[in-house]
Amino acid sequence: MGNPFTEWIKSGMESADNRHERMKQRVAYNAIYSEQVRDERAMPSKVENWWQVQRQSSGNPNMKFYNAHSAFKNKKEGRANSFEAHTYYNDQAKAKREAMLAEIANES
């Protein structure tokens, strides 16, 4: 019978074969996952550099009326980040809210 501490340490140690098998498994999983990520990025539903495309539907829901577009050039709603544009879209939101409240009042 040997030293009990040495036996206890050896009982908790893993073998080199076990460690190599787990490493092979991790490498195989990593290869599969990397191919999956590459395939998902090249899907036909995604355009090139899809992560850089600005999404119009995202952002602050209170600013959903704002749209910087060339059709609004030289108009109150087209002056980006201006007080006039804020006032214009705020008035649009108030009008929409009032219309919705009137519709709800007529239903009940």
Side-chain angles (χ1 to χ4, degrees), residues 62-75:
N62 296 324
M63 296 299 289
K64 65 183 176 182
F65 295 102
Y66 181 75
N67 185 10
H69 192 270
S70 61
F72 301 141
K73 188 174 182 180
N74 293 329
K75 296 181 182 176

Side-chain angles (χ1 to χ4, degrees), residues 32-98:
I32 291 168
Y33 292 150
S34 65
E35 285 295 315
Q36 181 181 5
V37 168
R38 185 187 63 79
D39 290 343
E40 287 175 354
R41 285 185 178 169
M43 288 172 54
S45 63
K46 295 192 177 178
V47 297
E48 184 179 359
N49 297 331
W50 60 270
W51 60 90
Q52 296 176 351
V53 175
Q54 182 180 3
R55 294 172 184 85
Q56 295 297 326
S57 62
S58 65
N60 188 348
N62 296 324
M63 296 299 289
K64 65 183 176 182
F65 295 102
Y66 181 75
N67 185 10
H69 192 270
S70 61
F72 301 141
K73 188 174 182 180
N74 293 329
K75 296 181 182 176
K76 288 167 67 172
E77 60 267 27
R79 295 185 177 98
N81 297 326
S82 69
F83 184 74
E84 291 175 329
H86 172 74
T87 305
Y88 174 81
Y89 288 109
N90 196 19
D91 292 342
Q92 293 289 320
K94 286 178 187 177
K96 185 175 181 179
R97 178 182 177 271
E98 293 301 324

